[in-house]
Amino acid sequence: MSGMDKAKNKAQHLIGQAKEAAGKVTGHRGTEHHGRADQTKAHLHDAGEKVKDTFDRLVHHRGAGPGRRTP
């Protein structure tokens, strides 16, 4: 995951936390729910990026060790 993606996801998570807190303080449930949704989106984006990173590592580090044939 690039540094920019991490920063965007962290920002979205922090914005979600702020919205959720503001919603709780003001009693506005819609804002609270939107805050939770923003946090969930950030977590899902993080998970997706981690899956992509893992796949890239597996594909790129699949060197020709003993018993492996290179195409």
Side-chain angles (χ1 to χ4, degrees):
M1 172 172 11
S2 75
M4 184 61 102
D5 289 335
K6 278 186 178 181
K8 285 180 183 178
N9 290 340
K10 185 64 175 176
Q12 186 173 27
H13 181 74
L14 292 173
I15 289 168
Q17 285 180 326
K19 282 183 184 178
E20 183 179 7
K24 284 181 180 178
V25 169
T26 61
H28 193 262
R29 295 184 70 139
T31 303
E32 188 177 341
H33 291 302
H34 282 210
R36 282 196 214 127
D38 285 346
Q39 291 177 63
T40 301
K41 284 182 199 175
H43 286 298
L44 289 173
H45 285 149
D46 276 340
E49 290 295 330
K50 286 177 184 176
V51 167
K52 284 195 282 187
D53 288 346
T54 301
F55 181 76
D56 285 343
R57 267 195 309 267
L58 288 173
V59 169
H60 289 86
H61 292 122
R62 199 186 132 209
R68 291 192 178 167
R69 291 189 332 181
T70 52

